[in-house]
Amino acid sequence: MRLDLRPLDPVRSIKAKLGLLVASSIVAGVLTTWIGFDYLGWRGRWSMAFAVAVGLIVTQVLAHGMTSPLRQMTSAAREMAAGRPATPVRTTSRDEVGELARAFTAMSRDLAKVDRQRRDLLANVAHELKTPVAALRAQLENLVDGVREPDGPALTEALDQTERLAALVEDLLDLARADAGVAPLRRTAVAVRAVADDVAHEVGIARPGRDVLVDVPEDLTADADPARLRQVLVNLVDNAARHATEGGRVDVRCRSDGAGGLVVEVTDDGPGIPRDQWDAVFERFEHGTTPEPAGAPAGRSGGGGTGLGLAIARWAVALHGGRIAVVPSPRGCRIRAELPAAPVAPSNGTTPNAPTRQETSRA
């Protein structure tokens, strides 16, 4: 086992380390020369040669510990370039090299996560596309072969599968717009009750056996983008309905925050989300480990089980400059989204900063 001695790790500055390195070498050489002359009776040239050797050994030991993080990062970078997992980098040094090692370690973790998400994306999208495509293909083959008449029910089934494919593609396009930062925000006064009722009716049809109850004042309006607000409600309500118990209920409550903004709360009566996963469920392609109700697809995210729905909801809320989070609930899971009103333009005529995309923010 190779030793990795780092006696200078507690020192916070690389310049101080270099100074200690030089001073240690000089002290080691002087002590060796003194011992050789006074105690061992060596001649001058032998004492000098031994002092140089001891100084080089001390320098090698201290310098090896100082440069060890750099060698480890080089090795890890080569592993990453070859497509293999990066080897761990020891980050105990407290100087500038240690800061670089910690930044490198964080970067390698992020790259590994992105690579895992890429593989999950391929697997999830392939899985989600396979089922409706197979069903649609079977329907069309039956119609073409004359096994089934092209009546209303047959065409409706084919249309349902096509709409499922279109919804998945739309989710992927929304995330692409989020990454590119090209999704504009068109704020206007929105009648929240009408949007909530429409979403509840739509989800109720898609998720039979769950009651979606809307508690929204008739006169409630919100300063928001209608399309993005609907996107938030659809993903939250559909996610809640998918995890509610059979014959259970989903509560949708919307209210004003008193300053022109909107507060949305969606609660289900399902098994809930463990506290340590409250942030993770808003990440793309992340699925919680909470047991699902019977017959429900795995995962604790919306978007048909792809792990995209809650990520899209967080993005839409962040476009408004708001925040979204799982909050404590006496039953099931409750997710709260807060959409503040648009900032008022300054009196000097300048335009306030528009809300920016905050994909990595956590409520």
Side-chain angles (χ1 to χ4, degrees):
M1 181 177 179
R2 187 173 181 179
L3 295 178
D4 187 15
L5 299 178
R6 300 188 185 182
L8 298 181
D9 271 3
V11 181
R12 294 179 175 271
S13 170
I14 189 68
K15 292 185 291 184
K17 282 187 175 181
L18 291 174
L20 290 173
L21 174 65
V22 173
S24 299
S25 300
I26 294 175
V27 170
V30 170
L31 287 176
T32 303
T33 303
W34 175 59
I35 292 173
F37 270 119
D38 291 353
Y39 291 93
L40 301 179
W42 289 351
R43 296 180 180 179
R45 59 181 182 179
W46 293 110
S47 295
M48 184 62 68
F50 190 64
V52 170
V54 171
L56 289 175
I57 292 174
V58 172
T59 301
Q60 175 64 22
V61 171
L62 296 180
H64 183 273
M66 291 171 56
T67 58
S68 181
L70 299 176
R71 291 191 298 275
Q72 291 181 0
M73 284 186 283
T74 300
S75 176
R78 288 172 179 165
E79 294 292 322
M80 294 167 60
R84 295 186 292 269
T87 54
V89 177
R90 182 176 167 186
T91 58
T92 55
S93 179
R94 303 176 68 180
D95 62 354
E96 295 84 352
V97 176
E99 291 293 330
L100 176 61
R102 282 184 282 275
F104 179 88
T105 299
M107 180 195 69
S108 64
R109 282 198 303 264
D110 290 342
L111 290 176
K113 182 178 180 180
V114 169
D115 185 62
R116 177 175 57 83
Q117 289 179 341
R118 177 184 60 81
R119 292 194 300 269
D120 288 346
L121 169 63
L122 294 176
N124 285 326
V125 171
H127 174 74
E128 291 296 318
L129 290 175
K130 181 179 179 180
T131 301
V133 167
L136 183 60
R137 179 179 180 179
Q139 290 285 351
L140 295 178
E141 286 178 348
N142 290 336
L143 294 175
V144 171
D145 295 339
V147 176
R148 187 174 184 181
E149 294 296 325
D151 53 9
L155 296 178
T156 299
E157 291 176 9
L159 179 60
D160 290 341
Q161 300 301 332
T162 304
E163 289 177 345
R164 181 177 175 184
L165 289 171
L168 176 60
V169 172
E170 187 62 29
D171 281 348
L172 296 173
L173 288 175
D174 284 336
L175 290 180
R177 296 187 192 105
D179 286 335
V182 297
L185 195 66
R186 298 181 177 90
R187 285 180 177 266
T188 186
V190 182
V192 180
R193 178 61 183 265
V195 177
D197 285 340
D198 185 51
V199 169
H201 177 71
E202 177 182 324
V203 174
I205 295 175
R207 308 283 184 187
R210 275 78 168 172
D211 292 331
V212 181
L213 306 180
V214 176
D215 180 12
V216 181
E218 291 285 351
D219 59 348
L220 179 62
T221 59
D223 180 16
D225 184 314
R228 300 304 170 202
L229 176 59
R230 177 182 173 81
Q231 202 169 33
V232 172
L233 286 171
V234 165
N235 282 291
L236 292 184
V237 176
D238 183 72
N239 182 70
R242 189 159 62 89
H243 294 88
T245 59
E246 185 66 31
R249 56 182 280 185
V250 174
D251 293 313
V252 182
R253 297 183 65 249
C254 300
R255 55 182 172 82
S256 173
D257 65 358
L262 177 68
V263 178
V264 177
E265 289 185 348
V266 178
T267 308
D268 63 59
D269 61 354
I273 304 175
R275 184 64 180 261
D276 60 352
Q277 297 179 22
W278 281 11
D279 287 334
V281 293
F282 294 102
E283 297 294 334
R284 301 176 186 184
F285 313 114
E286 290 288 342
H287 299 285
T289 58
T290 302
E292 299 289 346
R300 179 68 210 188
S301 298
T306 59
L308 300 177
L310 293 183
I312 292 173
R314 184 183 66 173
W315 162 68
V317 170
L319 277 177
H320 289 81
R323 57 183 181 177
I324 185 171
V326 181
V327 296
S329 173
R331 64 181 179 89
C333 169
R334 177 176 296 170
I335 297 181
R336 177 183 297 155
E338 301 176 8
L339 283 67
V344 180
S347 58
N348 59 8
T350 60
T351 302
N353 293 330
T356 58
R357 181 167 52 89
Q358 304 172 15
E359 281 293 309
T360 58
S361 65
R362 299 274 176 86

